[in-house]
Each structure stands twice: as C-alpha cells, then as structure tokens.
C-alpha cells in the first residue's frame, strides 16, 4: 500500500491570542497545502489570512499565545528551536510579500539582495550569482537586473524579483501574501501566470492569500474562505465558486463587480466584521447574515461536509436553506 504523502503545510486547530483582545485572533483554523498544489485563503481585511500564513514561518506577533499545530513537511513550527526556524526560512519555506518596495533595501543592488541568503549559508559568490541568473530567467528577467537598484525597475518587475528571491533556496512551500495588490491589472495577470508556471516547473506548494475572489478562482486548486479568524467554508475552487454553501461566501461572490452585470446598485455585505474587543458566542457572521436565527447567535456551527461534493465543508447551521433559496443577491 502506497503511503499518503505528507502535506507541505498542515495547520490543525490553530488558535492565536493577542494581548488586549477578548477572543482569539485565529480560532481553530484547519488548513492543508499539498506538494505542487495551489491553495487560496480569501476573506475581508482583518479576517486573519496573513497571520495564518505567517505562522508557517514562525512569525508570531509580540505577546502572541499560540496553540494547535503548524507543520511544514511534518515539523511543527510552533515548537521549533530558533536555529531550526532559521534553517526553515532559508530553504524550506519562503514568502512573497504584498509590497515589494517595502521588502528591499533601496540602497542595495538587486543582485546583492538575491544572493545574500545563499552566501550567508556558505555558497560561493559565483554559484549564488548563477542561481540568481537562473531564477531571473525563470521569472522573465535577464541578468542585467542584478546590477540595478529597486528604484530603477517597475513594480511588476520588482515583484518578479521578489518571486525569484523566494525560490532561491528551492522551497517546498511558497507563501504569497496578496502579492498583486500594489500592481496594475496587466502586471497582476502576469504575476498570476508566472506563479502558476513556476509551481508546475518546481513542484512547489503555494498558499495564496488574497481578498480578490477572481484571483483565487484563476490560480487555485482549492479555496479556504476565512471570516473573523475562523474557516467558514472550504472546497475545490471550481466547486466553491459554482455553488457556495456558506452565506458569507455567497455574499462575497454577489458583491464582486462583473463586466456583464446589468446596471443598478452593487451588492454589499451590510455591517462590519466583529471587533476583537468583543466576544462571540455563536456564529461570527450572524449579525450580518440574512439567514441568521437564534441558534446562530447561541452556538457556533461546526464545519460539516457536503455528501454530494467531496472535500466541500461549510460551517453554517442553515446550508440547506442557502441551497434551497439560492445565493443572496444582497446580504
């Protein structure tokens, strides 16, 4: 019998509490990314997407108290020694941040930025430079970029440099934290196509953090929808976008502008996400949900599978009503 491959990232029952908050910032998060798989983590700002991804690198905020497990290729980053975490960040896991200009020193050349990690690990300058040239070519840039400063290239080119830098250590897991937010539409499309091509070429698992559902649909194999520190719904991408089973997912889809939509008011999700200074007794989305009942405010729903859809789970007391009544046009 062939053994089941170990996921490159496996998050189980992750809870993260910060000082001054009345409830966990992350509340029982479960998430997996397989080798060569692209998983999208979507939700509104403040839902906990970036915090979830950064736990894979052991990057916890000051004063944070974490429980559960965050395993990268079977090793728990929450219990790792500082030395092992440094090694993990050097080779096994890499992150592409939202704003490339904030991640690079404007006074240093791109070549120095790309090669410093390998050189610090003992690789000779010639070998490190050759690796940088190889990866620049993989992201559609030539060796001339090595001698340039960040201010001498465009935002789209700089994000390509960041992706090349993330691949320098040949990681098994790549974390992309809204890497297209600061880019124009054309550059966004180029970066998405590039990430897809590189995943196929290098077999790297990719966790793509975004608030843009269209981007998630374009790049991902599976999607996790996050709300107020909890996973509201997860499913294969095609299944989720064709038929959401959680009112929050349905509302996000309904509020996405479409070029083919008829004129009229754009759908919106009423209200605001819950404040971290307040506790939540039941479903975190209850105060904004058109299907909410007293049960929703009293007891948090558990994620339940859809028997007709493998891999599709939704944490909602009223999934049957949502399916029967259709996607809310204005939640």
């Amino acid at each position: 019998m062939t053994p089941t491959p170990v996921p490159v990232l496996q998050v189980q029952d992750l809870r993260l509490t910060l000082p001054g908050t009345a409830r966990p910032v992350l509340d029982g998060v479960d998430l997996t990314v397989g080798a060569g798989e692209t998983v999208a983590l979507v939700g509104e700002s403040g839902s906990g997407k970036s915090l979830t991804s950064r736990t894979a690198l052991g990057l916890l905020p000051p004063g944070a108290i974490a429980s559960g497990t965050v395993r990268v290729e079977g090793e728990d980053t929450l219990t790792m020694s500082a030395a092992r975490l440094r090694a993990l960040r050097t080779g096994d896991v890499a992150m592409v941040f939202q704003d490339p200009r904030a991640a690079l020193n404007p006074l240093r050349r791109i070549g120095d930025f790309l090669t410093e990690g390998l050189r610090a690990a003992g690789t000779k300058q010639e070998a490190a430079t050759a690796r940088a040239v190889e990866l620049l070519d993989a992201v559609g840039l030539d060796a001339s970029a090595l001698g340039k400063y960040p201010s001498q290239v465009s935002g789209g080119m700089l994000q390509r440099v960041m992706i090349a830098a993330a691949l320098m250590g040949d990681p098994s897991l790549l974390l992309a934290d809204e890497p297209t937010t600061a880019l124009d539409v054309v550059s966004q499309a180029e970066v998405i196509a590039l990430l897809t091509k590189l995943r196929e070429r290098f077999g790297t698992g990719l966790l793509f953090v975004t608030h843009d559902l269209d981007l998630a649909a374009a790049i991902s194999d599976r999607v996790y929808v996050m709300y107020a520190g909890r996973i509201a719904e997860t499913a294969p991408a095609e299944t989720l976008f064709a038929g959401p089973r959680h009112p929050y997912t349905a509302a996000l889809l309904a509020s996405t502008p479409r070029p083919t939509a008829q004129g009229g008011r754009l759908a919106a999700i009423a209200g605001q996400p819950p404040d971290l200074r307040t506790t939540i007794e039941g479903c975190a989305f209850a105060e904004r949900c058109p299907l909410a009942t007293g049960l929703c405010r009293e007891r948090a729903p558990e994620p339940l599978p859809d028997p007709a859809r493998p891999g599709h789970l939704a944490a909602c007391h009223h999934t049957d009503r949502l399916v029967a009544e259709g996607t809310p046009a204005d939640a």
Side-chain angles (χ1 to χ4, degrees):
M1 183 176 180
T2 304
T4 303
V6 176
V8 292
L9 176 64
Q10 186 174 34
V11 179
Q12 292 179 306
D13 197 27
L14 175 62
R15 284 179 166 77
L16 187 71
T17 303
L18 297 179
T21 60
R23 58 182 175 83
V25 181
L26 301 177
D27 192 3
V29 174
D30 292 322
L31 179 150
T32 61
V33 180
E37 181 184 33
T38 296
V39 172
L41 184 58
V42 305
E44 293 174 282
S45 297
S47 61
K49 307 185 302 297
S50 294
L51 273 178
T52 300
S53 67
R54 293 183 184 216
T55 58
L57 286 167
L59 297 176
L60 302 181
I65 299 174
S67 64
T69 58
V70 181
R71 294 188 178 92
V72 175
E73 294 193 311
E75 293 188 78
D76 190 358
T77 63
L78 298 184
T79 59
M80 278 183 185
S81 65
R84 180 65 189 109
L85 269 175
R86 285 194 296 272
L88 183 86
R89 295 166 184 167
T90 301
D92 298 297
V93 187
M95 177 170 275
V96 180
F97 293 96
Q98 183 177 122
D99 184 0
R101 296 198 184 279
L104 277 76
N105 186 335
L107 302 180
R108 300 190 65 199
R109 296 180 189 273
I110 287 171
D112 295 329
F113 168 72
L114 287 174
T115 60
E116 63 181 348
L118 289 184
R119 289 188 287 110
T123 303
K124 292 184 178 180
Q125 178 67 53
E126 295 79 7
T129 300
R131 175 66 172 166
V133 171
E134 175 192 357
L135 288 172
L136 284 175
D137 178 69
V139 299
L141 300 176
D142 58 44
S144 65
L146 294 173
K148 295 181 179 179
Y149 291 95
S151 60
Q152 294 177 305
V153 299
S154 67
M157 291 177 66
L158 207 56
Q159 194 60 290
R160 290 170 179 262
V161 170
M162 291 299 299
I163 294 171
L167 295 170
M168 284 290 288
D170 195 20
S172 59
L173 174 64
L174 184 61
L175 309 169
D177 188 3
E178 305 210 31
T180 62
T181 299
L183 305 179
D184 60 74
V185 175
V186 174
S187 296
Q188 283 186 5
E190 291 175 348
V191 169
I192 292 301
L194 175 62
L195 286 171
T196 302
K197 182 180 74 173
L198 292 175
R199 181 202 67 174
E200 294 171 352
R201 175 175 173 180
F202 294 101
T204 305
L206 172 62
L207 180 62
F208 189 83
V209 176
T210 183
H211 64 274
D212 190 322
L213 290 173
D214 286 338
L215 282 179
I219 196 172
S220 61
D221 300 306
R222 291 187 299 114
V223 179
Y224 288 84
V225 180
M226 194 170 212
Y227 185 79
R230 302 173 182 173
I231 300 298
E233 185 171 8
T234 180
E238 185 176 349
T239 300
L240 183 110
F241 291 113
R245 294 294 184 261
H246 193 285
Y248 178 59
T249 310
L252 284 177
L253 288 169
S255 62
T256 302
R258 304 292 178 192
T260 57
Q262 299 296 323
R265 182 180 177 183
L266 182 67
I269 305 175
Q272 299 291 331
D275 195 304
L276 281 169
R277 294 168 296 182
T278 61
T279 59
I280 300 175
E281 296 298 330
C283 176
F285 190 58
E287 297 305 319
R288 308 175 71 187
C289 180
L291 303 181
T293 62
L295 174 63
C296 302
R297 297 176 176 84
E298 295 170 2
R299 180 162 58 87
E302 295 293 329
L304 298 176
D306 184 335
R309 296 183 169 200
H312 196 159
L313 289 83
C316 179
H317 292 302
H318 302 300
T319 296
D320 292 343
R321 285 181 56 199
L322 177 65
V323 174
E325 298 173 16
T327 300
D330 189 358

